[in-house]
């Protein structure tokens, strides 16, 4: 997936990926949202929890650095080779939450991500090294893309594949 070339294009791609993914839940019942039907033995609700989890990570990394501290990456208590257990922690955090409430939180998160992106200038978004937490290989825009847009698209594909296998499909 090519990196968006501008601030505006990044926001457009984020919005489009979010809207398409979220719309897939319009015809998923609360019951079905909790069943681990999907590849990877996850539920549709788990996919939302995963997106919320990684979006919160992005915002936490940024806020922690802005406060003058070094963020724990990917999250406190987890190393980069422990992404499976980190994903499980996202699922567990949202396990008891109804689908409508998860979708509302996901929408609020999108708003917070948009506000953050809008607060950044082109240089901050597209120049490598503007944040310590982002390292010296990727610009912020790439971190945003791989933690929002790309997984929203991937998750939507998983939902659509599962929907095609449903008896009422």
């Amino acid at each position: 997936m090519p990196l968006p070339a501008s601030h505006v294009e990044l926001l457009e791609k984020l919005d489009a990926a979010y809207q398409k993914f979220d719309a897939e839940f319009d015809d998923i019942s609360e019951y079905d949202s909790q069943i681990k039907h999907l590849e990877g033995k996850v539920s549709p609700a788990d996919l939302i929890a995963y997106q919320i989890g990684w979006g919160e990570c992005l915002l936490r990394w940024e806020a922690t650095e802005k406060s003058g501290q070094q963020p724990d990456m990917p999250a406190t208590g987890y190393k980069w080779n422990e992404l499976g257990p980190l994903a499980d922690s996202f699922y567990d955090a949202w396990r008891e939450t109804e689908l409508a409430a998860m979708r509302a939180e996901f929408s609020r998160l999108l708003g917070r991500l948009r506000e953050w992106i809008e607060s950044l200038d082109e240089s901050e978004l597209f120049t490598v090294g503007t944040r310590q937490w982002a390292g010296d290989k990727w610009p912020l825009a790439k971190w945003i893309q791989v933690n929002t847009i790309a997984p929203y698209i991937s998750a939507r594909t998983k939902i659509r594949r599962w929907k095609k296998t449903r008896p009422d499909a």
Side-chain angles (χ1 to χ4, degrees), residues 34-153:
Q34 301 299 324
I35 306 295
K36 296 186 182 297
H37 306 280
L38 307 175
E39 64 185 79
K41 298 192 187 317
V42 295
S43 70
D46 287 341
L47 293 181
I48 297 176
Y50 184 87
Q51 310 316 321
I52 294 170
W54 279 107
E56 292 288 349
C57 282
L58 277 171
L59 295 172
R60 185 172 47 256
W61 300 335
E62 179 73 0
T64 301
E65 183 166 320
K66 287 235 181 215
S67 74
Q69 300 174 341
Q70 180 68 29
D72 292 331
M73 292 183 67
T76 302
Y78 296 93
K79 297 178 184 158
W80 285 109
N81 64 352
E82 299 174 318
L83 297 182
L86 178 57
D88 289 340
S89 77
F90 298 154
Y91 309 151
D92 291 344
W94 291 93
R95 187 150 333 277
E96 302 299 320
T97 307
E98 290 185 3
L99 181 60
M102 290 181 75
R103 289 178 73 186
E105 181 57 31
F106 189 30
S107 176
R108 282 189 291 276
L109 174 66
L110 177 73
R112 292 172 45 220
L113 288 165
R114 287 186 106 275
E115 286 175 18
W116 172 47
I117 294 166
E118 289 168 350
S119 77
L120 302 169
D121 62 35
E122 298 288 318
S123 177
E124 286 177 296
L125 274 172
F126 295 99
T127 303
V128 174
T130 60
R131 298 293 190 278
Q132 280 190 308
W133 67 258
D136 60 3
K137 291 188 171 54
W138 287 356
L140 288 181
K142 181 72 172 180
W143 280 93
I144 293 165
Q145 180 186 47
V146 302
N147 287 289
T148 59
I149 299 165
Y152 296 1
I153 292 168

Side-chain angles (χ1 to χ4, degrees), residues 17-43:
Y18 166 81
Q19 289 167 4
K20 288 177 182 177
F21 175 55
D22 184 65
E24 293 297 333
F25 290 87
D26 289 347
D27 63 351
I28 296 176
S29 71
E30 181 68 37
Y31 175 80
D32 277 338
S33 76
Q34 301 299 324
I35 306 295
K36 296 186 182 297
H37 306 280
L38 307 175
E39 64 185 79
K41 298 192 187 317
V42 295
S43 70

